[in-house]
Amino acid sequence: QVQLVESGGGLVQAGGSLRLSCAASGSMFSLNPMSWYRQALGKQRELVADMSRGNTKYADSVKGRFTIFRGNARNTVSLQMNSLKPEDTAVYYCRAVANGMEYWGKGTLVTVSS
């Protein structure tokens, strides 16, 4: 059973930065793609950034501010978030696919104050 654990969330002022990390355990397979989603209060979960076989894609709202990258450890992915805005406030979830199965972390809360 694959488990994803996110870390790095917290409270930050607008214009600040945070780095989220996601570590996967329990998989014999490489996880691909690995992605970050977010869900703000009262809104649907949305894709923030995705990395698949070295290719990345971002939501228009975060392009130029967020960067997704693989960690040095196997099956880890991070999200560097710069120039944060209050509208970035949400629970951020890590998602990964392994051997055709989809897995989700429990999420980490990011709160950006104005």
Side-chain angles (χ1 to χ4, degrees):
Q1 181 73 14
V2 175
Q3 290 188 326
L4 303 178
V5 178
E6 302 97 338
S7 61
L11 174 64
V12 64
Q13 287 189 330
S17 299
L18 281 176
R19 179 176 293 185
L20 306 182
S21 294
C22 173
S25 61
S27 175
M28 296 287 291
F29 305 95
S30 292
L31 301 179
N32 190 69
M34 295 192 78
S35 314
W36 287 95
Y37 283 72
R38 67 185 181 187
Q39 187 167 18
L41 194 64
K43 295 188 177 181
Q44 289 189 331
R45 191 173 296 189
E46 62 175 354
L47 175 67
V48 175
D50 178 87
M51 174 170 274
S52 177
R53 303 191 189 286
N55 297 313
T56 59
K57 64 179 179 182
Y58 297 92
D60 287 343
S61 59
V62 306
K63 281 180 182 177
R65 299 189 297 122
F66 290 12
T67 303
I68 185 171
F69 58 97
R70 292 275 194 166
N72 290 328
R74 183 171 174 268
N75 287 338
T76 61
V77 67
S78 296
L79 184 69
Q80 178 67 40
M81 305 186 296
N82 299 328
S83 302
L84 283 161
K85 304 175 181 180
E87 51 263 43
D88 294 319
T89 295
V91 178
Y92 284 71
Y93 297 90
C94 179
R95 173 188 177 268
V97 177
N99 198 30
M101 298 286 290
E102 178 184 63
Y103 300 93
W104 290 87
K106 293 183 178 181
T108 185
L109 177 62
V110 172
T111 303
V112 184
S113 63
S114 57

